[in-house]
Amino acid sequence: MSMDFIKSLYYEFLSYFIPKKVKYKIEGSCNKCGNCCRQIRSSGLKNENELKIMQKIFPHYKRFFITGKDENGDFILSCKYLSEDNKCSVYNKRPFVCRNYPK
């Protein structure tokens, strides 16, 4: 288990208990391309076993699957609930991370 993975696990855990302090400034509008759901950078996840551990601990990770790796060796994930028209097929049941993503 890498130190990056342990940090990712720690920060994910903390995100459930720390009040949101980040303010986003939304500019423009969604062009419905689906890239935000197709190209999710997974800082710290370096192998499939680490993703499986995250999926067991944090159930919302079960929606993601690996599509590649970025220049740092971190996984690029995609959401299995993105429909062909680039909309969330389970919009009303999407996890917190998706609900708070700038639109």
Side-chain angles (χ1 to χ4, degrees):
M1 222 177 287
S2 72
M3 191 58 143
D4 286 339
F5 173 67
I6 293 169
K7 284 181 187 176
S8 292
L9 186 62
Y10 174 71
Y11 291 132
E12 183 69 28
F13 179 75
L14 282 182
S15 73
Y16 286 85
F17 302 102
I18 296 175
K20 183 179 170 185
K21 294 180 182 178
V22 176
K23 298 279 184 187
Y24 295 103
K25 181 179 179 186
I26 299 171
E27 296 179 358
S29 61
C30 177
N31 62 12
K32 298 179 177 50
C33 66
N35 286 335
C36 58
C37 300
R38 261 190 218 98
Q39 297 179 14
I40 303 162
R41 305 289 187 219
S42 67
S43 147
L45 296 179
K46 303 287 187 185
N47 62 58
E48 290 183 44
N49 190 45
E50 291 176 350
L51 178 60
K52 288 178 184 177
I53 291 169
M54 293 297 274
Q55 289 172 331
K56 286 180 182 177
I57 297 172
F58 305 106
H60 67 270
Y61 272 80
K62 291 179 182 175
R63 72 189 314 117
F64 303 122
F65 61 94
I66 300 165
T67 59
K69 285 194 173 194
D70 67 11
E71 61 280 352
N72 297 318
D74 293 322
F75 285 131
I76 298 171
L77 305 175
S78 189
C79 181
K80 67 182 179 181
Y81 294 113
L82 183 66
S83 64
E84 288 186 28
D85 63 354
N86 293 322
K87 294 181 181 176
C88 182
S89 63
V90 293
Y91 186 80
N92 292 329
K93 296 179 183 177
R94 68 197 191 284
F96 186 73
V97 66
C98 300
R99 291 177 189 272
N100 289 309
Y101 188 79
K103 295 166 184 67

